[in-house]
Coordinates of all heavy atoms in Angstrom, one line a residue:
M1086 N 43.4 120.6 93.1 CA 44.4 120.9 94.2 C 45.7 120.2 93.8 O 45.8 119.0 93.4 CB 43.8 120.3 95.5 CG 44.8 120.4 96.6 SD 44.1 120.5 98.2 CE 43.8 122.2 98.4
K1087 N 46.8 120.9 94.0 CA 48.1 120.4 93.8 C 48.6 119.3 94.7 O 48.5 119.5 95.9 CB 49.1 121.7 93.7 CG 50.5 121.3 93.3 CD 51.4 122.6 93.3 CE 52.8 122.1 93.0 NZ 53.8 123.2 93.1
T1088 N 49.2 118.3 94.1 CA 49.8 117.4 95.0 C 51.3 117.7 95.3 O 52.0 118.0 94.3 CB 49.8 115.9 94.3 OG1 48.4 115.5 94.0 CG2 50.4 114.8 95.2
L1089 N 51.6 117.6 96.6 CA 53.0 117.9 97.0 C 53.6 116.6 97.5 O 53.0 115.7 98.1 CB 53.0 119.0 98.1 CG 52.3 120.3 97.8 CD1 52.3 121.2 98.9 CD2 53.1 120.9 96.5
Y1090 N 55.0 116.4 97.3 CA 55.6 115.2 97.6 C 56.7 115.5 98.6 O 57.4 116.6 98.6 CB 56.3 114.6 96.4 CG 55.4 114.3 95.3 CD1 55.1 115.3 94.3 CD2 54.6 113.1 95.2 CE1 54.2 115.1 93.4 CE2 53.8 112.9 94.2 CZ 53.4 113.9 93.2 OH 52.5 113.7 92.3
F1091 N 56.8 114.6 99.6 CA 57.8 114.9 100.7 C 58.7 113.7 101.0 O 58.2 112.6 100.9 CB 56.9 115.3 102.0 CG 56.2 116.6 101.8 CD1 54.9 116.6 101.3 CD2 56.9 117.8 102.2 CE1 54.3 117.8 101.1 CE2 56.1 118.9 102.1 CZ 54.9 119.0 101.6
V1092 N 59.9 114.1 101.6 CA 60.8 113.1 102.1 C 61.3 113.5 103.6 O 61.0 114.7 103.9 CB 62.1 113.1 101.3 CG1 61.8 112.5 99.8 CG2 62.9 114.4 101.2
D1093 N 61.8 112.6 104.2 CA 62.3 112.9 105.6 C 63.8 113.4 105.5 O 64.3 113.5 104.4 CB 62.1 111.7 106.6 CG 63.1 110.5 106.1 OD1 64.0 110.6 105.2 OD2 62.8 109.3 106.7
A1094 N 64.4 113.6 106.5 CA 65.7 114.2 106.5 C 66.8 113.2 105.8 O 67.8 113.7 105.3 CB 66.2 114.5 108.0
S1095 N 66.5 112.0 105.8 CA 67.5 111.1 105.2 C 67.2 110.8 103.7 O 67.9 110.1 103.1 CB 67.5 109.7 105.9 OG 66.3 109.0 105.7
G1096 N 66.1 111.4 103.2 CA 65.8 111.3 101.8 C 64.8 110.2 101.5 O 64.5 110.0 100.4
R1097 N 64.2 109.6 102.5 CA 63.3 108.5 102.4 C 62.0 109.2 102.0 O 61.5 110.1 102.6 CB 63.1 107.6 103.5 CG 64.3 106.7 103.7 CD 64.1 105.7 104.8 NE 65.3 105.1 105.2 CZ 66.1 105.3 106.1 NH1 65.8 106.3 107.0 NH2 67.2 104.7 106.2
Y1098 N 61.2 108.5 101.0 CA 60.0 109.1 100.5 C 58.9 108.9 101.7 O 58.7 107.8 102.2 CB 59.6 108.4 99.3 CG 58.3 108.9 98.7 CD1 58.1 110.2 98.3 CD2 57.2 108.0 98.4 CE1 57.0 110.7 97.7 CE2 56.1 108.4 97.9 CZ 55.9 109.8 97.6 OH 54.7 110.2 97.0
L1099 N 58.2 110.0 102.0 CA 57.2 110.0 102.9 C 55.8 109.8 102.4 O 54.9 109.2 103.0 CB 57.2 111.1 103.9 CG 58.5 111.3 104.7 CD1 58.4 112.7 105.5 CD2 58.5 110.2 105.7
G1100 N 55.6 110.4 101.2 CA 54.3 110.3 100.5 C 53.9 111.6 99.8 O 54.6 112.6 99.9
A1101 N 52.7 111.5 99.2 CA 52.1 112.7 98.5 C 51.0 113.2 99.4 O 50.2 112.4 100.0 CB 51.6 112.3 97.1
Y1102 N 50.9 114.6 99.5 CA 49.9 115.0 100.3 C 49.2 116.2 99.5 O 49.7 117.0 98.8 CB 50.5 115.8 101.5 CG 51.2 114.8 102.5 CD1 52.4 114.4 102.2 CD2 50.5 114.4 103.6 CE1 53.0 113.5 103.0 CE2 51.1 113.5 104.5 CZ 52.4 112.9 104.2 OH 52.9 112.0 105.0
Q1103 N 47.8 116.1 99.7 CA 47.0 117.2 98.9 C 46.3 118.0 100.0 O 46.4 119.3 99.9 CB 45.9 116.4 98.0 CG 46.5 115.9 96.8 CD 45.5 115.4 95.9 OE1 44.4 115.0 96.3 NE2 45.9 115.2 94.6
N1104 N 45.6 117.4 100.9 CA 44.9 118.2 101.8 C 45.5 118.1 103.3 O 45.1 118.9 104.1 CB 43.4 117.7 101.9 CG 42.7 117.8 100.6 OD1 42.9 118.8 99.9 ND2 41.8 116.9 100.1
A1105 N 46.1 117.0 103.6 CA 46.7 116.9 104.9 C 48.1 117.5 105.0 O 48.7 117.6 104.0 CB 46.8 115.4 105.2
S1106 N 48.5 117.8 106.2 CA 49.8 118.4 106.4 C 50.8 117.2 106.5 O 50.6 116.2 107.1 CB 49.8 119.1 107.8 OG 49.0 120.3 107.6
P1107 N 52.0 117.4 105.9 CA 53.0 116.4 106.0 C 53.5 116.3 107.4 O 53.4 117.2 108.1 CB 54.1 116.9 105.0 CG 53.9 118.3 104.9 CD 52.5 118.6 105.2
P1108 N 54.3 115.3 107.7 CA 54.9 115.1 109.1 C 55.9 116.4 109.3 O 56.5 116.8 108.4 CB 55.6 113.8 109.0 CG 55.0 113.1 107.8 CD 54.5 114.0 106.9
E1109 N 56.1 116.7 110.6 CA 57.0 117.7 110.9 C 58.4 117.3 110.4 O 58.8 116.2 110.5 CB 57.0 117.9 112.4 CG 57.8 119.1 112.9 CD 57.7 119.3 114.4 OE1 56.5 119.2 115.0 OE2 58.6 119.7 115.0
G1110 N 59.1 118.3 109.9 CA 60.4 118.0 109.4 C 60.5 117.5 108.0 O 61.6 117.4 107.4
A1111 N 59.4 117.3 107.4 CA 59.4 116.8 106.0 C 59.8 117.9 105.0 O 59.6 119.1 105.3 CB 57.9 116.3 105.6
V1112 N 60.5 117.5 104.0 CA 61.0 118.4 103.0 C 60.2 118.1 101.6 O 60.2 117.0 101.2 CB 62.5 118.1 102.8 CG1 63.1 119.0 101.7 CG2 63.2 118.3 104.1
E1113 N 59.7 119.2 101.1 CA 59.1 119.1 99.8 C 60.1 118.8 98.6 O 61.2 119.5 98.6 CB 58.3 120.3 99.5 CG 57.4 120.1 98.2 CD 56.6 121.4 97.9 OE1 56.5 122.3 98.7 OE2 56.0 121.5 96.8
V1114 N 59.8 117.9 97.8 CA 60.6 117.6 96.7 C 59.8 117.3 95.3 O 58.6 117.3 95.5 CB 61.4 116.2 97.0 CG1 62.3 116.4 98.2 CG2 60.4 115.0 97.2
P1115 N 60.5 117.3 94.2 CA 59.7 116.9 93.0 C 59.1 115.6 93.1 O 59.6 114.8 93.8 CB 60.8 117.0 91.9 CG 61.9 117.8 92.5 CD 61.9 117.5 94.0
A1116 N 58.2 115.3 92.2 CA 57.5 114.0 92.2 C 58.6 112.9 92.0 O 59.5 113.0 91.2 CB 56.5 113.9 91.0
P1117 N 58.4 111.8 92.8 CA 59.3 110.7 92.7 C 59.2 109.8 91.5 O 58.1 109.8 91.0 CB 59.1 109.9 94.0 CG 57.8 110.3 94.3 CD 57.5 111.6 93.8
P1118 N 60.2 109.0 91.1 CA 59.9 108.1 90.0 C 58.9 107.1 90.4 O 58.7 106.8 91.6 CB 61.3 107.4 89.9 CG 62.4 108.2 90.6 CD 61.6 109.0 91.6
A1119 N 58.3 106.5 89.5 CA 57.2 105.5 89.6 C 57.7 104.2 90.3 O 56.9 103.4 90.7 CB 56.5 105.3 88.4
D1120 N 59.0 104.0 90.2 CA 59.4 102.7 90.7 C 59.3 102.5 92.2 O 59.3 101.3 92.7 CB 60.9 102.5 90.4 CG 61.9 103.5 91.0 OD1 61.5 104.2 92.0 OD2 63.1 103.5 90.7
G1121 N 59.1 103.5 92.9 CA 58.9 103.4 94.4 C 60.1 103.0 95.3 O 60.0 102.6 96.4
R1122 N 61.3 103.0 94.6 CA 62.5 102.4 95.3 C 63.6 103.4 95.2 O 64.7 103.0 94.9 CB 62.9 101.1 94.7 CG 62.0 100.0 95.0 CD 62.4 98.8 94.3 NE 62.5 99.1 92.9 CZ 62.2 98.2 91.9 NH1 62.0 97.0 92.1 NH2 62.4 98.7 90.7
S1123 N 63.3 104.7 95.2 CA 64.3 105.7 95.1 C 64.5 106.6 96.3 O 63.5 106.6 97.1 CB 64.0 106.6 93.8 OG 64.1 105.8 92.6
R1124 N 65.6 107.2 96.4 CA 65.9 108.1 97.5 C 66.3 109.5 97.1 O 67.0 109.6 96.1 CB 67.0 107.5 98.3 CG 67.2 108.4 99.6 CD 68.1 107.5 100.6 NE 67.3 106.4 101.0 CZ 67.6 105.5 101.9 NH1 68.7 105.8 102.6 NH2 66.9 104.5 102.2
W1125 N 65.8 110.6 97.7 CA 66.1 111.9 97.3 C 67.5 112.3 97.9 O 67.8 112.1 99.1 CB 65.1 112.8 97.8 CG 65.2 114.2 97.5 CD1 65.7 115.3 98.5 CD2 65.1 114.9 96.2 NE1 65.7 116.4 97.8 CE2 65.5 116.2 96.4 CE3 64.9 114.4 95.0 CZ2 65.4 117.1 95.3 CZ3 64.8 115.3 93.9 CH2 65.1 116.7 94.1
T1126 N 68.4 112.7 97.1 CA 69.7 113.1 97.5 C 69.9 114.5 97.9 O 71.0 114.9 98.5 CB 70.8 112.8 96.5 OG1 70.5 113.7 95.4 CG2 70.7 111.3 96.0
G1127 N 68.9 115.3 97.8 CA 68.9 116.7 98.1 C 69.0 117.5 96.8 O 68.8 118.7 96.7
A1128 N 69.2 116.8 95.7 CA 69.3 117.4 94.3 C 68.5 116.5 93.2 O 67.9 117.1 92.4 CB 70.7 117.6 93.8
V1129 N 68.6 115.2 93.3 CA 68.0 114.3 92.4 C 67.4 113.1 93.1 O 67.9 112.7 94.3 CB 68.9 113.9 91.3 CG1 69.4 115.1 90.5 CG2 70.2 113.2 91.8
W1130 N 66.6 112.4 92.5 CA 66.1 111.0 92.8 C 67.2 110.0 92.4 O 67.5 110.0 91.3 CB 64.7 110.7 92.4 CG 63.7 111.5 93.0 CD1 63.0 112.6 92.6 CD2 63.0 111.2 94.3 NE1 62.0 113.0 93.4 CE2 62.1 112.1 94.5 CE3 63.2 110.2 95.2 CZ2 61.3 112.1 95.7 CZ3 62.5 110.2 96.4 CH2 61.5 111.1 96.6
V1131 N 67.6 109.1 93.3 CA 68.5 108.1 92.9 C 68.0 106.7 93.4 O 67.4 106.6 94.5 CB 69.9 108.3 93.7 CG1 70.9 107.2 93.4 CG2 70.4 109.7 93.2
A1132 N 68.2 105.7 92.6 CA 67.8 104.4 93.0 C 68.4 103.9 94.2 O 69.5 104.2 94.5 CB 68.1 103.4 91.8
D1133 N 67.6 103.3 95.1 CA 68.2 102.8 96.4 C 69.4 101.9 96.2 O 70.3 101.8 97.1 CB 67.1 102.0 97.2 CG 66.3 102.9 98.1 OD1 66.7 104.1 98.3 OD2 65.3 102.6 98.6
A1134 N 69.4 101.2 95.2 CA 70.6 100.2 94.9 C 71.8 101.2 94.8 O 72.9 100.8 95.3 CB 70.4 99.4 93.6
V1135 N 71.8 102.3 94.2 CA 72.9 103.2 94.0 C 73.3 103.7 95.4 O 74.5 103.8 95.7 CB 72.6 104.3 93.1 CG1 73.7 105.4 93.1 CG2 72.4 103.9 91.7
V1136 N 72.3 104.1 96.3 CA 72.5 104.6 97.6 C 73.2 103.5 98.4 O 74.2 103.8 99.1 CB 71.3 105.1 98.3 CG1 71.5 105.5 99.7 CG2 70.6 106.3 97.5
A1137 N 72.8 102.3 98.3 CA 73.3 101.2 99.0 C 74.7 100.9 98.5 O 75.7 100.6 99.4 CB 72.4 99.9 98.9
A1138 N 75.0 100.9 97.2 CA 76.3 100.6 96.7 C 77.3 101.8 97.1 O 78.4 101.5 97.5 CB 76.3 100.6 95.2
D1139 N 76.8 103.0 97.2 CA 77.6 104.1 97.7 C 78.1 103.9 99.2 O 79.1 104.1 99.6 CB 77.0 105.5 97.5 CG 77.0 105.8 96.0 OD1 77.7 105.3 95.2 OD2 76.2 106.9 95.8
A1140 N 77.1 103.5 99.9 CA 77.3 103.3 101.4 C 78.3 102.1 101.5 O 79.2 102.1 102.4 CB 76.0 102.9 102.2
A1141 N 78.2 101.1 100.7 CA 79.1 99.9 100.8 C 80.5 100.3 100.4 O 81.5 100.0 101.1 CB 78.7 98.8 99.9
R1142 N 80.7 101.1 99.4 CA 81.9 101.6 99.0 C 82.6 102.5 100.1 O 83.8 102.3 100.3 CB 81.8 102.5 97.8 CG 81.8 101.8 96.4 CD 81.8 102.7 95.2 NE 81.2 102.1 94.1 CZ 79.9 102.1 93.7 NH1 79.2 102.8 94.4 NH2 79.4 101.4 92.8
A1143 N 81.8 103.3 100.8 CA 82.3 104.1 101.8 C 82.8 103.2 103.0 O 83.8 103.4 103.6 CB 81.4 105.1 102.4
A1144 N 82.0 102.2 103.3 CA 82.4 101.3 104.4 C 83.7 100.5 104.1 O 84.5 100.4 105.0 CB 81.2 100.4 104.7
L1145 N 83.8 100.1 102.8 CA 84.9 99.4 102.4 C 86.2 100.3 102.5 O 87.3 99.8 102.9 CB 84.8 98.8 101.0 CG 83.9 97.6 100.9 CD1 83.5 97.2 99.4 CD2 84.5 96.5 101.5
A1146 N 86.0 101.6 102.0 CA 87.2 102.4 102.1 C 87.6 102.6 103.6 O 88.8 102.7 103.8 CB 86.8 103.8 101.5
E1147 N 86.6 102.8 104.5 CA 86.9 102.9 105.9 C 87.7 101.7 106.5 O 88.7 101.8 107.1 CB 85.7 103.2 106.7 CG 86.0 103.5 108.1 CD 84.7 103.8 109.0 OE1 83.7 104.2 108.4 OE2 84.8 103.6 110.2
L1148 N 87.2 100.5 106.1 CA 87.9 99.3 106.5 C 89.3 99.2 105.9 O 90.3 98.8 106.6 CB 87.1 98.1 106.1 CG 85.8 97.9 106.9 CD1 84.9 96.8 106.2 CD2 86.1 97.5 108.3
D1149 N 89.4 99.6 104.7 CA 90.8 99.6 104.1 C 91.7 100.5 104.8 O 92.9 100.1 105.1 CB 90.7 100.0 102.6 CG 90.1 99.0 101.7 OD1 90.0 97.8 102.1 OD2 89.8 99.3 100.6
L1150 N 91.3 101.7 105.1 CA 92.1 102.7 105.9 C 92.5 102.1 107.3 O 93.6 102.3 107.7 CB 91.5 104.0 106.0 CG 91.4 104.8 104.7 CD1 90.6 106.1 104.9 CD2 92.8 105.1 104.2
K1151 N 91.5 101.5 107.9 CA 91.7 100.9 109.3 C 92.7 99.7 109.2 O 93.4 99.6 110.2 CB 90.5 100.5 109.9 CG 89.6 101.7 110.3 CD 88.3 101.2 110.9 CE 87.4 102.3 111.4 NZ 86.2 101.8 112.1
S1152 N 92.8 99.1 108.1 CA 93.6 97.9 108.1 C 95.1 98.2 107.7 O 96.0 97.3 107.9 CB 93.0 96.8 107.2 OG 93.0 97.3 105.9
I1153 N 95.3 99.3 107.0 CA 96.6 99.6 106.5 C 97.7 99.6 107.7 O 98.7 98.9 107.5 CB 96.7 101.0 105.8 CG1 95.8 100.8 104.5 CG2 98.0 101.5 105.5 CD1 95.6 102.2 103.8
R1154 N 97.5 100.3 108.8 CA 98.5 100.2 109.9 C 98.8 98.9 110.3 O 99.9 98.5 110.5 CB 97.9 101.2 111.0 CG 98.9 101.1 112.1 CD 98.4 102.1 113.2 NE 99.2 101.9 114.5 CZ 99.0 102.5 115.5 NH1 97.9 103.2 115.7 NH2 99.8 102.4 116.6
S1155 N 97.7 98.1 110.6 CA 97.9 96.7 111.0 C 98.9 95.9 110.1 O 99.7 95.1 110.5 CB 96.6 96.0 111.2 OG 95.9 96.6 112.2
M1156 N 98.5 96.0 108.8 CA 99.3 95.2 107.7 C 100.8 95.7 107.7 O 101.6 95.0 107.7 CB 98.6 95.3 106.4 CG 97.3 94.5 106.3 SD 96.6 94.5 104.6 CE 96.3 96.2 104.4
R1157 N 100.9 97.0 107.7 CA 102.3 97.6 107.7 C 103.1 97.2 108.9 O 104.2 96.8 108.7 CB 102.2 99.1 107.6 CG 103.6 99.8 107.4 CD 103.5 101.3 107.5 NE 103.0 101.8 108.8 CZ 101.9 102.5 108.9 NH1 101.2 102.9 107.9 NH2 101.6 102.9 110.2
E1158 N 102.4 97.2 110.1 CA 103.2 96.8 111.3 C 103.5 95.3 111.3 O 104.6 94.9 111.7 CB 102.3 97.1 112.6 CG 102.1 98.6 112.9 CD 101.2 98.8 114.1 OE1 100.4 97.9 114.3 OE2 101.3 99.9 114.7
Y1159 N 102.6 94.5 110.9 CA 102.8 93.1 110.7 C 104.0 92.7 109.7 O 104.8 92.0 110.1 CB 101.5 92.4 110.3 CG 101.7 90.9 110.1 CD1 101.7 90.1 111.3 CD2 101.8 90.4 108.8 CE1 101.9 88.7 111.1 CE2 101.9 89.0 108.7 CZ 101.9 88.2 109.8 OH 102.0 86.8 109.6
I1160 N 103.9 93.3 108.5 CA 104.9 93.0 107.6 C 106.3 93.6 108.0 O 107.3 93.0 107.8 CB 104.5 93.5 106.2 CG1 103.2 92.8 105.7 CG2 105.6 93.4 105.2 CD1 102.5 93.4 104.5
A1161 N 106.3 94.9 108.6 CA 107.6 95.5 108.9 C 108.2 94.7 110.0 O 109.4 94.8 110.1 CB 107.3 96.9 109.4
A1162 N 107.5 94.0 110.9 CA 108.1 93.2 111.9 C 108.8 91.9 111.4 O 109.5 91.3 112.1 CB 107.0 92.8 113.0
K1163 N 108.5 91.5 110.2 CA 109.1 90.3 109.6 C 110.5 90.6 109.3 O 110.9 91.7 108.9 CB 108.4 89.9 108.4 CG 106.9 89.5 108.5 CD 106.8 88.3 109.4 CE 105.3 87.9 109.5 NZ 105.2 86.7 110.4
A1164 N 111.4 89.6 109.5 CA 112.9 89.8 109.2 C 113.2 90.2 107.7 O 114.1 90.9 107.4 CB 113.6 88.6 109.6
D1165 N 112.3 89.6 106.8 CA 112.6 89.8 105.4 C 111.7 90.9 104.7 O 111.5 91.0 103.5 CB 112.4 88.5 104.6 CG 111.0 88.0 104.7 OD1 110.2 88.4 105.6 OD2 110.7 87.0 103.9
A1166 N 111.1 91.8 105.6 CA 110.3 92.9 105.2 C 111.1 93.8 104.4 O 112.3 94.1 104.6 CB 109.6 93.5 106.3
P1167 N 110.5 94.4 103.2 CA 111.2 95.3 102.4 C 111.7 96.5 103.3 O 110.9 97.0 104.1 CB 110.2 95.8 101.4 CG 109.2 94.7 101.4 CD 109.1 94.1 102.7
A1168 N 112.8 97.1 103.0 CA 113.3 98.2 103.8 C 112.4 99.4 103.7 O 112.2 100.2 104.6 CB 114.8 98.5 103.3
L1169 N 111.9 99.6 102.5 CA 110.9 100.8 102.3 C 109.8 100.8 103.3 O 109.4 101.7 103.9 CB 110.4 100.8 100.9 CG 109.4 101.9 100.5 CD1 110.1 103.2 100.5 CD2 108.9 101.7 99.1
L1170 N 109.2 99.5 103.4 CA 108.0 99.4 104.4 C 108.5 99.6 105.8 O 107.8 100.2 106.6 CB 107.3 98.0 104.1 CG 106.0 97.8 104.8 CD1 105.1 98.8 104.3 CD2 105.5 96.5 104.6
K1171 N 109.7 99.1 106.1 CA 110.2 99.2 107.4 C 110.4 100.7 107.7 O 110.1 101.2 108.8 CB 111.5 98.5 107.7 CG 111.3 97.0 107.8 CD 112.6 96.3 108.1 CE 112.4 94.8 108.3 NZ 113.5 94.1 108.9
N1172 N 111.0 101.4 106.7 CA 111.1 102.8 106.9 C 109.8 103.6 107.1 O 109.7 104.5 107.9 CB 111.9 103.5 105.7 CG 113.3 102.9 105.6 OD1 113.9 102.5 106.6 ND2 113.9 103.1 104.4
F1173 N 108.8 103.2 106.3 CA 107.4 103.8 106.6 C 106.9 103.6 108.0 O 106.4 104.5 108.6 CB 106.4 103.3 105.6 CG 106.6 103.8 104.1 CD1 106.2 103.0 103.1 CD2 107.1 105.1 103.8 CE1 106.3 103.5 101.8 CE2 107.2 105.6 102.6 CZ 106.9 104.7 101.5
E1174 N 107.1 102.3 108.5 CA 106.6 102.1 109.8 C 107.4 102.8 110.9 O 106.8 103.4 111.9 CB 106.8 100.6 110.1 CG 106.3 100.2 111.5 CD 104.9 100.7 111.9 OE1 104.1 100.9 111.0 OE2 104.7 100.9 113.1
T1175 N 108.8 103.0 110.6 CA 109.5 103.8 111.6 C 109.1 105.3 111.6 O 108.9 105.9 112.6 CB 111.0 103.7 111.2 OG1 111.4 102.4 111.3 CG2 111.9 104.6 112.2
A1176 N 108.8 105.7 110.4 CA 108.3 107.2 110.3 C 106.9 107.3 110.9 O 106.7 108.3 111.6 CB 108.3 107.6 108.8
A1177 N 106.1 106.3 110.7 CA 104.8 106.3 111.2 C 104.8 106.3 112.8 O 104.1 107.0 113.5 CB 103.9 105.3 110.8
A1178 N 105.7 105.5 113.3 CA 105.8 105.4 114.8 C 106.3 106.7 115.3 O 105.8 107.2 116.4 CB 106.8 104.2 115.2
A1179 N 107.2 107.3 114.6 CA 107.7 108.8 115.1 C 106.6 109.6 115.2 O 106.6 110.5 116.0 CB 108.9 109.1 114.2
E1180 N 105.8 109.7 114.1 CA 104.7 110.6 114.1 C 103.6 110.3 115.1 O 103.1 111.3 115.7 CB 104.0 110.7 112.7 CG 104.8 111.1 111.5 CD 105.2 112.6 111.8 OE1 104.4 113.4 112.2 OE2 106.4 112.9 111.5
R1181 N 103.3 109.1 115.5 CA 102.4 108.7 116.5 C 103.0 109.2 117.8 O 102.1 109.5 118.7 CB 102.2 107.2 116.5 CG 101.2 106.7 115.4 CD 100.7 105.3 115.7 NE 101.8 104.3 115.8 CZ 102.3 103.7 114.7 NH1 101.9 104.0 113.5 NH2 103.4 102.8 114.9
S1182 N 104.2 109.2 118.0 CA 104.8 109.6 119.3 C 104.6 111.1 119.6 O 104.7 111.5 120.7 CB 106.3 109.2 119.3 OG 107.0 110.1 118.5
K1183 N 104.3 111.8 118.5 CA 104.1 113.2 118.7 C 102.6 113.6 119.1 O 102.2 114.7 119.5 CB 104.3 114.0 117.3 CG 105.7 113.9 116.9 CD 105.9 114.6 115.5 CE 107.3 114.3 115.0 NZ 107.4 114.9 113.6
L1184 N 101.7 112.5 119.1 CA 100.3 112.7 119.4 C 100.1 112.5 120.9 O 99.4 111.6 121.3 CB 99.5 111.7 118.6 CG 99.5 111.8 117.1 CD1 98.8 110.7 116.5 CD2 98.9 113.2 116.7
V1185 N 100.7 113.3 121.7 CA 100.5 113.1 123.2 C 99.2 113.2 123.6 O 98.2 113.5 123.2 CB 101.4 114.1 123.9 CG1 101.3 114.0 125.4 CG2 102.8 114.1 123.5

C-alpha cells in the first residue's frame, strides 16, 4: 500500500497515512526530509530555521517602516535638522491632510 504524506494549511507536517484518512483540510505533499524539522511552502520543503528567519525579516521590515515617520518627525522638529528632511516632513504632512 502506498504511503501518503500530509501537511496542514500552514505547511506543518501532519504525518504519513496508509490506511487511515488524514485530518480534514490536510494537503497531500511529497515525502518530507528525514530531519523532521521542515515546513512545506506549497512548492518545496524548507527547513524551519529558514521559515523562522523569513518571518523575522518580515517583522523587522514592518518595524522599520513603522518607525520611519516617527524618526522623520522627531528629527525635522529639531532646529538644526537638514532642510531636505524638513521638506520631506512638510510634504508628508500635506499628503496626510488629504486622507480625510
